[in-house]
């Protein structure tokens, strides 16, 4: 009996996570529905930027991404439910048609397509999302919209700092 109940719980958790992805698609974008899948104290953690979002901030995150990439789509490659944890390997795809916010200012739209590898860990409690940790390859993302690292300046800055120390 326990095995059947546990399997049903894992299937239910996977269904909740798949619904979260559906609601965050550019052609659906239902922030209220997305938020409703979370526990009252739930969090959305963007691990690539070390930012954490709660409550009404959560739907703002998916809306912000859709402003930059109105056709945002997540291609789910692998979905595995392990009790109250659902692990997903995916690709975040879309076209850069809106400004992309950064700490230094907004990157204007380039029209470039993105296809960014990512992995998400969803932690559920009583059928609701307690914590969503999103790990995306931000270096790939930035490269695909035309933002390339300035290694020369970094090396020069490091060299200057070392000689003045």
């Amino acid at each position: 009996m326990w095995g059947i109940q546990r399997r049903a719980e894992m299937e239910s958790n996977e269904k909740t996570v798949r619904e979260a992805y559906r609601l965050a698609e550019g052609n659906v974008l239902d922030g209220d529905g997305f938020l409703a899948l979370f526990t009252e104290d739930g969090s959305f953690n963007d691990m690539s930027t070390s930012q954490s979002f709660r409550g009404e901030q959560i739907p703002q995150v998916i809306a912000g991404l859709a402003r930059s990439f109105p056709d945002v789509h997540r291609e789910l490659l692998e979905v595995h439910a392990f009790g109250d944890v659902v692990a997903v390997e995916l690709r975040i795809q879309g076209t850069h048609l809106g400004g992309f916010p950064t700490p230094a200012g907004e990157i204007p739209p380039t029209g470039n397509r993105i296809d960014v590898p990512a992995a998400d860990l969803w932690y559920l409690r009583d059928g609701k999302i307690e914590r969503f940790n999103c790990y995306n390859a931000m270096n790939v993302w930035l490269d695909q919209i035309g933002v390339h690292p300035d290694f020369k300046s970094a090396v020069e800055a490091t060299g200057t700092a070392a000689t003045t120390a």
Side-chain angles (χ1 to χ4, degrees):
M1 181 66 180
W2 183 86
I4 294 170
Q5 181 180 355
R6 192 70 172 157
R7 180 176 294 129
E9 181 181 291
M10 286 190 302
E11 287 173 2
S12 176
N13 287 341
E14 180 178 333
K15 185 178 176 182
T16 298
V17 167
R18 286 182 181 276
E19 178 65 359
Y21 284 117
R22 188 189 73 77
L23 295 170
E25 289 287 286
N27 63 348
V28 175
L29 202 60
D30 180 352
D32 292 336
F34 188 80
L35 179 59
L37 297 175
F38 282 76
T39 61
E40 193 171 309
D41 61 342
S43 66
F44 176 149
N45 304 300
D46 182 343
M47 305 309 277
S48 67
T49 63
S50 299
Q51 292 181 302
S52 186
F53 307 94
R54 295 184 179 280
E56 290 302 319
Q57 296 173 322
I58 292 173
Q60 293 172 10
V61 175
I62 64 170
L65 181 59
R67 277 192 296 279
S68 298
F69 302 90
D71 60 345
V72 67
H73 168 69
R74 291 153 189 92
E75 180 184 351
L76 307 184
L77 304 173
E78 296 282 340
V79 179
H80 300 280
F82 306 97
D84 287 335
V85 178
V86 179
V88 181
E89 180 184 4
L90 68 148
R91 301 193 71 81
I92 303 169
Q93 302 164 332
T95 310
H96 184 208
L97 299 176
F100 186 79
T102 75
E106 198 169 83
I107 300 167
T110 61
N112 292 359
R113 292 276 307 150
I114 62 163
D115 187 4
V116 179
D120 293 337
L121 293 175
W122 302 80
Y123 299 88
L124 290 92
R125 182 178 72 222
D126 299 326
K128 291 207 157 218
I129 301 161
E130 181 175 38
R131 190 170 75 236
F132 165 34
N133 292 347
C134 176
Y135 297 84
N136 61 70
M138 186 57 70
N139 60 323
V140 173
W141 195 313
L142 292 171
D143 184 65
Q144 290 179 359
I145 63 172
V147 178
H148 308 291
D150 182 359
F151 292 112
K152 184 178 181 205
S153 292
V155 169
E156 288 171 358
T158 304
T160 301
T163 58
T164 59

